[in-house]
Amino acid sequence: MSQAWLPVIALAASLLVVPVIFALPERAWRARAVVNLGAALFKLLMVIVMVFGLYQGRDYSFRFTVVEGASFLLQVDAMGLMFAGLSALLWLATTAYAIGYLEDSPNRKRFFGFFGLCIASTVGIALAGNLFTFLLFYEMLTLSTYPLVVHRGHPAALRAGTIYLRYTLTGGLVLLLGVVAMHVLVGDVSFGQREMLADLGPDAHPMLIVLFVVLLMGLGVKAALVPLHGWLPRAMVAPAPVSALLHAVAVVKAGAFGIVRLVYDVYGIGLSHELGLLSLLTGIAVVTILYGSVRALSQQELKPRLAFSTVSQVSYIILGISLFGPFGTIAGLSHLLHQGLMKVTLFYCAGNYAEELGIHRIDELDGAGRRMPMTSLAFTVAALGMIGMPPVAGFITKWYLGMGALQSGMPWVIVVLVASSLLNAAYFLPIVHRLWFRPGPAHGRGRWPEERNLGRFETSTWLLLPTAATAMFSLATGLLAGVAFSPLDLAIFMANGEYRP
Amino acid sequence: MIERLGLVSNALPAQAEELAALGGVLGLPLLLGLLGGLARPARGWPVAVVGVLPLLALGWLFLQVAGEGRVWTVPLGPLSLYWRVNGLALLMLLLTQAILLASALYAPTYLRVDVQAPARRQAWFWPLLGLLATSLSLIWLAADLLLLYFGLELMGLVAVGLMLLPGKADALVAGLRYLLLALIGSLAFLLGIALLLGAWGRLDLAGLTEAAEPGPLLWVAVALLSAGLLLKAAAFPLHAWLAPVHAAAWTPISALHAGLVIKASFFIALQLWLVLTPRSAPAAWLVGGLAAAAVVWGGVMAWRAAKLKDMLAWSTVSQLGYLLLGFPLLVGTDSTVAAVAWEGTWLQLAAHGIAKAAMFLAAGNLVLATGKSHLRELAGASRRFPLALLSFGIAAISLVGLPPSMGFTAKWLLLNAALMAGQWIWLAVLAAGTLLSAAYVFRVFRYSFVEDAPSLDFRPVPWSMDAVALVLALASLLLGLVAEWPLSLLRAAGGES
């Protein structure tokens, strides 16, 4: 079998799950679980094989022409693999979590079908080799997440779904126009062929700036850049596994990943710097980071607070890539993974509290650490990571961001980082304090809003295991950042590739 | 442009074998239709078995032209008729046969389960269907105005006949109104032909290209021809008859009508412009303006429609606007733009044909299952009839033009052409069309995801009806990625300029 088929197989593994799940009857939850978990494991395996292949310098690419001047291209590079790896890992965890979370609820077949499609889209986004292919999967992601957002079918969910579509379809349309314009200007640009735009010469520069802004607007909707972030907090009505996945890997990351591709692989960091586009990105990222954090402070419910925290945290990625220099790049790329791991943990925890104890508001969390120690420990680890405390993964990001700011000659960014970390602490530490140090129903004061005893341990095992696993991973990526194949190692590998001529 | 239409001037008399292939493509559907009227199939599989025959005839015709466009003359008494077989005609024939076959497969179960018409009236369905196939094939293959007129008239009358089949009052009113408008359209068309014949004394398209000289006479003739055709194609602002007709007709007939019949009029109109007035860019821009209005107005009306079938009918008006954009992009533009727009236009025609047919069939299933025709009453449909909704949704992806569907690829080409031509305004039109179509399509899904709907009693839909809709919908979705294939057919057999 030719090596070129490897990315196709990885994509097909997640894509072919969808018809199988739709074909299984609603009540066959065991078969569905086996198919889901099996495909997730298989995909993880494929990604690992490709990572090793990539380190050995193998070239995987698969191409066919769709119409003249536009081709479908799957290719494997370090950046794509990083995203594919994140998606594969979190697919596995979230599938397990969703099986537990949706136990005995209606429409599970529909849920898992579209869930699989959503993941297939993220794999496609990761392996897409040019803007056209990226666009295909980017739009597929929009469509496949809509049924997940409106899954519960109540009026609030339907309203959130409508708003979600309004934002994302408009964003997709803007992106389409940008991609078409790019094709008319230079033709089919494969990711990595940076010289194509650089060779256009100074006459094309105004046009390139306009195009960059258009593409950025299209991608910024999903990346929840202020002021295009409005859909994200509202989409919180979705079930917890969906929120977890949307925030950690699927939708928000697809946008951020697209911006990373745009800067590094289409324009090239040199040209972006030359055109002054990096300063634009820095400005947007700083505004988004601070705005998201401030809004998170004022939220009284757990999930919306996490949502605004996502708005803020994802822009660290944008900030990192906008700082010209290897350190900024390392920070941005590694945060793509770090934020995913930590945020998914936080959402799993929020889901656990809601399922086991019926807790939705932050002030109901008093003393929950005693009732649910494992979940609360996971929450604490991830929250400390978000604030940027060593040795959790978030620290690595902030450290490299600071170094990147100095390297690119923008020390004022450090002030922003400090301010943002203080804000992060201000909205996460009170929660941690409530969990561990406030007496609550577990100490005989008052009652939990809606207590259900779901499992042998503090809650159902299906819910607990993924939570513990992702918390462990966030800790491990921080502690073992120097080891080969860690996110940091991959990011350094890529940054070297970017800045070495 | 003429070469793309396959209208080479060196027409040859058709050989016996070629004539037989042509006769097979034209005659077989008619023959099978008569057979169907006698046998009245109650199940899908005999239709499937027999329905392969016209496809075989089409394959034979394909082999006859062997890679290049041909124009054949067939003597008929004192007249000689011109036939054109090229990539475009073959693509249209294939599209026609695919959609017809799907409708024919859908019909036996539909007629048995859903329609309470007397058996005698149901029997009329089959010969009329065959006649429709013949008249459509005639239009794609005709290379002179006489044949085109004959095909157009026949198609219009057959379409009216099919519309009248339900026999209910609203169907009769809508059908007769359609007949009246079709006759007015034909009259205008006939007048245009008479003017051309009087001025240049010939009706074959290739000959007219050379003979026709620009001037007031030509412009009046083309205006008359276009007005008649655009009325039949339900182009803005001549579209008002469309929605009532679709609401009253049987489901497979709506699918055929929206998918093929109105496209035939558009096909003739575009062809005549390219033949007679290939340089009249200002007039083409006027049509472009109508296109923009059609996209927006059709979209808004579809968004406001309360009934499912009305929504689909208005969406046809809107989507026809995309096709009409072909006029400003093809007439009077340079050859690189025209090459892209050419492929985009025909791909859009095929995409909308397949997607709209699938949507009508799926909508028919939804209406059959709920027994209601309003969007609002679809509440909870996603749990009760997921398959019909899935087909509807997949076809809707193509309608909205989201990847990887055929509609997306077509829109991609049209956007490319508009940008290359520097006609920025069409970008805005296509963008508005996309957003509007997303808005009206997702209304359906919004209702269908409602969970706390009162559980009304509903009828199960036979699986064969669901399957036909699903297959058509999947075709519209997946053919977008392999669009090189239909496009290569377009380029093959004399499509290259």
Side-chain angles (χ1 to χ4, degrees):
Chain A
M1 188 176 295
S2 148
Q3 298 277 331
W5 286 97
L6 216 52
V8 184
I9 293 171
L11 183 63
S14 24
L15 210 52
L16 290 180
V17 173
V18 179
V20 173
I21 290 176
F22 278 129
L24 285 172
E26 176 78 36
R27 60 183 180 283
W29 74 272
R30 271 172 221 281
R32 199 161 43 226
V34 168
V35 170
N36 262 321
L37 291 174
L41 278 171
F42 178 74
K43 200 182 91 182
L44 197 57
L45 189 76
M46 292 318 275
V47 171
I48 291 171
V49 170
M50 284 191 282
V51 168
F52 278 107
L54 188 76
Y55 268 81
Q56 288 166 6
R58 287 219 186 105
D59 180 33
Y60 306 100
S61 67
F62 170 83
R63 178 198 283 269
F64 68 89
T65 306
V66 175
V67 286
E68 262 178 21
S71 56
F72 181 91
L73 173 65
L74 293 180
Q75 70 180 25
V76 174
D77 57 10
M79 211 180 277
L81 269 188
M82 200 159 131
F83 192 57
L86 178 73
S87 134
L89 190 68
L90 296 189
W91 185 23
L92 188 60
T94 309
T95 304
Y97 188 85
I99 290 170
Y101 188 86
L102 291 174
E103 210 161 19
D104 304 325
S105 76
N107 298 326
R108 274 178 292 170
K109 177 165 106 174
R110 185 180 80 198
F111 179 88
F112 281 103
F114 285 109
F115 190 75
L117 202 59
C118 176
I119 293 297
S121 323
T122 63
V123 182
I125 286 173
L127 299 178
N130 57 17
L131 276 174
F132 182 79
T133 318
F134 182 87
L135 180 72
L136 291 188
F137 289 107
Y138 191 79
E139 289 284 332
M140 204 166 108
L141 182 64
T142 306
L143 291 180
S144 55
T145 38
Y146 173 75
L148 299 178
V149 172
V150 300
H151 181 74
R152 301 246 195 246
H154 50 64
L158 292 172
R159 214 165 30 246
T162 309
I163 289 167
Y164 174 69
L165 277 183
R166 253 183 230 157
Y167 273 90
T168 48
L169 282 179
T170 313
L173 183 67
V174 172
L175 185 67
L176 169 67
L177 294 179
V179 174
V180 170
M182 187 64 93
H183 271 251
V184 172
L185 194 64
V186 283
D188 199 349
V189 186
S190 294
F191 289 151
Q193 290 181 321
R194 292 175 287 246
E195 64 285 353
M196 283 181 78
L197 291 190
D199 289 348
L200 283 179
D203 289 348
H205 282 182
M207 193 63 207
L208 283 179
I209 292 176
V210 171
L211 268 185
F212 186 90
V213 173
V214 170
L215 290 167
L216 184 66
M217 281 200 294
L219 295 165
V221 170
K222 281 215 172 98
L225 297 180
V226 172
L228 307 172
H229 66 284
W231 60 273
L232 184 60
R234 291 200 181 88
M236 280 304 94
V237 296
V242 176
S243 316
L245 201 70
L246 291 190
H247 284 252
V249 50
V251 178
V252 183
K253 279 300 164 55
F257 182 71
I259 295 174
V260 172
R261 282 285 197 205
L262 182 65
V263 171
Y264 287 122
D265 284 339
V266 178
Y267 276 70
I269 189 83
L271 184 64
S272 310
H273 186 60
E274 194 186 325
L275 297 179
L277 297 169
L278 292 184
S279 327
L280 174 76
L281 277 181
T282 313
I284 294 174
V286 164
V287 169
T288 308
I289 287 173
L290 293 178
Y291 177 85
S293 295
V294 170
R295 286 298 304 274
L297 261 181
S298 64
Q299 303 301 316
Q300 298 305 313
E301 295 197 18
L302 191 52
K303 276 177 87 179
R305 184 171 285 192
L306 294 180
F308 275 108
S309 150
T310 305
V311 172
S312 157
Q313 291 279 337
V314 167
S315 274
Y316 280 146
I317 303 170
I318 313 298
L319 181 64
I321 59 172
S322 75
L323 299 173
F324 185 71
F327 286 130
T329 306
I330 292 169
L333 294 179
S334 59
H335 199 56
L336 201 72
L337 288 175
H338 293 157
Q339 192 267 350
L341 287 170
M342 295 186 295
K343 194 45 127 268
V344 92
T345 314
L346 289 173
F347 272 104
Y348 288 160
C349 293
N352 288 359
Y353 291 130
E355 280 297 282
E356 177 71 23
L357 303 174
I359 291 174
H360 296 282
R361 292 176 56 84
I362 289 165
D363 53 17
E364 294 163 345
L365 278 170
D366 290 353
R370 183 154 176 185
R371 170 69 174 73
M372 301 176 71
M374 294 268 279
T375 305
S376 302
L377 198 62
F379 189 92
T380 309
V381 166
L384 291 181
M386 283 289 179
I387 298 167
M389 298 240 194
V392 192
F395 166 71
I396 310 280
T397 310
K398 286 206 174 152
W399 176 259
Y400 276 97
L401 271 180
M403 307 233 290
L406 290 179
Q407 194 174 40
S408 63
M410 289 197 265
W412 60 271
V413 169
I414 295 186
V415 180
V416 175
L417 284 176
V418 171
S420 159
S421 297
L422 286 177
L423 284 168
N424 290 347
Y427 63 76
F428 273 129
L429 287 183
I431 303 179
V432 175
H433 179 252
R434 276 180 193 279
L435 284 178
W436 298 109
F437 303 112
R438 288 263 194 116
H443 307 76
R445 271 207 208 169
R447 298 187 51 195
W448 300 115
E450 194 190 338
E451 186 168 5
R452 306 195 299 170
N453 290 305
L454 290 170
R456 203 143 55 86
F457 305 105
E458 58 191 61
T459 184
S460 156
T461 319
W462 284 107
L463 298 181
L464 204 54
L465 272 183
T467 316
T470 49
M472 294 279 287
F473 269 113
S474 344
L475 201 56
T477 43
L479 276 175
L480 306 175
V483 176
F485 299 118
S486 74
L488 184 67
D489 187 48
L490 276 171
I492 291 173
F493 176 77
M494 274 178 273
N496 284 336
E498 291 302 329
Y499 290 94
R500 199 167 288 159
Chain B
M1 207 37 77
I2 299 305
E3 297 78 17
R4 285 214 180 87
L5 283 166
L7 297 171
V8 286
S9 45
N10 55 337
L12 302 167
Q15 304 299 315
E17 207 171 321
E18 294 163 348
L19 209 57
L22 207 59
V25 169
L26 288 170
L28 262 180
L30 191 57
L31 213 62
L32 295 177
L34 288 174
L35 191 69
L38 292 175
R40 265 182 258 157
R43 314 229 160 259
W45 64 265
V47 180
V49 171
V50 178
V52 178
L53 289 176
L55 280 173
L56 289 178
L58 182 58
W60 194 28
L61 185 67
F62 183 74
L63 291 178
Q64 292 301 317
V65 293
E68 50 182 287
R70 299 281 173 85
V71 175
W72 294 328
T73 56
V74 177
L76 186 82
L79 290 168
S80 82
L81 302 175
Y82 289 77
W83 302 83
R84 166 266 324 264
V85 187
N86 72 333
L88 177 61
L90 288 171
L91 186 70
M92 292 296 132
L93 283 171
L94 187 62
L95 179 73
T96 307
Q97 299 207 342
I99 297 179
L100 267 161
L101 186 60
S103 301
L105 286 174
Y106 184 87
T109 325
Y110 175 80
L111 292 177
R112 199 182 64 226
V113 176
D114 198 20
V115 176
Q116 278 95 35
R120 184 187 294 271
R121 191 172 284 146
Q122 290 188 20
W124 272 105
F125 174 80
W126 299 101
L128 284 174
L129 194 70
L131 211 53
L132 188 68
T134 303
S135 58
L136 281 166
S137 309
L138 196 60
I139 290 173
W140 312 134
L141 290 167
D144 67 42
L145 282 169
L146 191 65
L147 273 180
L148 275 177
Y149 177 69
F150 181 64
L152 191 68
E153 270 310 272
L154 187 64
M155 183 189 75
L157 292 176
V158 171
V160 170
L162 284 167
M163 296 289 174
L164 291 176
L165 279 180
K168 299 194 179 115
D170 51 347
L172 289 178
V173 171
L176 288 176
R177 190 192 293 162
Y178 179 49
L179 177 66
L180 189 67
L181 287 171
L183 287 179
I184 294 174
S186 302
L187 209 62
F189 190 73
L190 196 61
L191 227 62
I193 292 183
L195 281 179
L196 289 176
L197 186 66
W200 291 288
R202 59 192 309 171
L203 287 174
D204 64 307
L205 293 176
L208 273 174
T209 319
E210 289 157 11
E213 293 149 17
L217 182 72
L218 184 68
W219 294 334
V220 169
V222 172
L224 278 169
L225 289 167
S226 318
L229 289 166
L230 293 181
L231 174 65
K232 285 178 179 239
F236 187 89
L238 308 171
H239 59 271
W241 56 270
L242 191 67
V245 160
H246 277 194
W250 283 343
T251 298
I253 295 165
S254 300
L256 282 173
H257 193 266
L260 294 170
V261 173
I262 59 167
K263 306 290 167 49
S265 306
F266 164 80
F267 174 87
I268 301 175
L270 184 59
Q271 174 168 260
L272 290 181
W273 275 59
L274 293 176
V275 165
L276 297 172
T277 53
R279 304 251 165 275
S280 58
W285 273 77
L286 190 69
V287 179
L290 293 183
V295 167
V296 174
W297 181 245
V300 169
M301 290 304 281
W303 189 36
R304 296 185 41 174
K307 288 184 178 176
L308 197 54
K309 277 192 154 187
D310 281 355
M311 187 198 93
L312 292 178
W314 281 109
S315 118
T316 305
V317 172
S318 169
Q319 295 273 319
L320 201 79
Y322 288 174
L323 287 179
L324 291 179
L325 283 183
F327 282 88
L329 290 174
L330 280 168
V331 176
T333 51
D334 64 61
S335 66
T336 47
V337 175
V340 178
W342 179 256
E343 297 188 345
T345 305
W346 299 124
L347 198 64
Q348 170 66 29
L349 192 153
H352 180 247
I354 297 176
K356 189 48 73 64
M359 282 178 99
F360 262 115
L361 297 185
N365 291 344
L366 285 171
V367 170
L368 168 67
T370 52
K372 305 278 171 54
S373 53
H374 282 76
L375 279 178
R376 201 175 290 283
E377 289 154 343
L378 284 177
S382 87
R383 197 193 295 194
R384 294 192 198 121
F385 357 95
L387 215 53
L389 200 71
L390 188 70
S391 318
F392 191 86
I394 293 174
I397 291 176
S398 182
L399 195 78
V400 180
L402 295 172
S405 67
M406 240 173 146
F408 168 76
T409 314
K411 195 166 68 183
W412 169 272
L413 289 169
L414 288 176
L415 283 172
N416 255 312
L419 255 184
M420 282 159 72
Q423 300 179 3
W424 293 77
I425 180 84
W426 312 135
L427 247 59
V429 172
L430 286 166
T434 306
L435 289 181
L436 278 169
S437 50
Y440 62 71
V441 161
F442 274 100
R443 274 176 74 218
V444 176
F445 294 103
R446 206 185 117 81
Y447 286 120
S448 70
F449 278 112
V450 170
E451 280 290 314
D452 52 355
S455 72
L456 302 161
D457 46 330
F458 63 93
R459 294 164 68 181
V461 180
W463 69 268
S464 63
M465 291 167 73
D466 266 338
V468 174
L470 187 62
V471 167
L472 265 188
L474 282 175
S476 77
L477 183 72
L478 298 178
L479 280 176
L481 267 190
V482 290
E484 252 318 274
W485 176 73
L487 290 179
S488 69
L489 197 63
L490 200 60
R491 279 186 226 117
E496 211 80 64
S497 62

